[in-house]
């Protein structure tokens, strides 16, 4: 079993997305999820927050150089391409993308890793975590 295989996680809220809050690409991902999530099922936790750092460390993610986002759904925590596809599978507009999970993780995750390694260079990085609009602030945990 890979260290990035889904793991049990029943003590964190369902719909929690751990993300790199200073990564422009990751912040765009969060904005996409917020736009698609009409039921407000998902909550967001920047890895740079104290709670985010603790959760990252608990699951083997280096909070100073995160190599994955993560999502807690249905009592499990998902990583890398599994996390992204699991989230996208929750929305009618993007649900067909969950079919990509049929491809072996060994094929999907190298593509994810390539983007993750180059995300700051390609998309940029900010000096502080994403600041949500006031209407969305309650969806962000710290």
């Amino acid at each position: 079993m890979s260290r990035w295989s889904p793991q049990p996680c029943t003590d964190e809220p369902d719909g929690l997305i751990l993300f790199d809050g200073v990564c422009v690409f990751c912040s765009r991902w969060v904005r996409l999820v917020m736009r698609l999530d009409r039921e407000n099922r998902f909550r967001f936790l920047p890895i740079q927050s104290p709670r985010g750092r603790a959760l990252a460390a608990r699951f083997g993610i280096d909070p100073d150089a995160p190599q994955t986002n993560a999502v807690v759904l249905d009592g499990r925590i998902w990583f890398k391409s599994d996390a992204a596809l699991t989230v996208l599978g929750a929305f009618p507009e993007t649900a067909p993308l969950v079919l990509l999970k049929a491809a072996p993780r060994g094929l999907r995750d190298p593509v994810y890793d390539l983007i993750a390694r180059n995300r700051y260079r390609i998309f940029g990085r900010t000096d502080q975590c994403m600041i949500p609009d006031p209407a969305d602030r309650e969806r962000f945990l710290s």
Side-chain angles (χ1 to χ4, degrees), residues 76-115:
R76 301 188 66 71
I77 189 165
W78 305 81
F79 306 98
K80 297 193 179 233
S81 62
D82 280 338
L85 293 171
T86 298
V87 170
L88 291 172
F91 308 117
E93 301 91 335
T94 55
L97 293 173
V98 81
L99 295 173
L100 293 173
K101 283 177 99 175
R105 192 179 304 121
L107 295 176
R108 290 184 278 120
D109 280 351
V111 175
Y112 183 97
D113 292 339
L114 179 66
I115 295 167

Side-chain angles (χ1 to χ4, degrees), residues 16 18 20 22-23 35 40 52 69 78 81 85 93 98 107 109-110 113 115 120 124 127 138:
L16 177 66
L18 179 67
D20 183 350
V22 298
C23 168
R35 185 172 51 80
N40 291 347
N69 70 358
W78 305 81
S81 62
L85 293 171
E93 301 91 335
V98 81
L107 295 176
D109 280 351
D113 292 339
I115 295 167
Y120 295 146
D127 292 331
E138 76 277 355

Side-chain angles (χ1 to χ4, degrees), residues 15-75:
L16 177 66
I17 295 177
L18 179 67
F19 74 103
D20 183 350
V22 298
C23 168
V24 172
F25 181 76
C26 303
S27 294
R28 287 181 185 160
W29 162 250
V30 167
R31 290 184 200 288
L32 172 67
V33 172
M34 286 191 303
R35 185 172 51 80
L36 294 170
D37 186 17
R38 292 182 199 95
E39 297 175 9
N40 291 347
R41 179 178 183 189
F42 291 94
R43 300 286 180 266
F44 308 96
L45 179 63
I47 203 166
Q48 289 78 13
S49 70
R51 182 174 172 189
R53 290 181 71 81
L55 183 62
R58 175 178 162 197
F59 287 100
I61 302 169
D62 180 352
D64 295 316
Q67 59 277 57
T68 182
N69 70 358
V71 63
V72 177
L73 273 178
D74 302 323

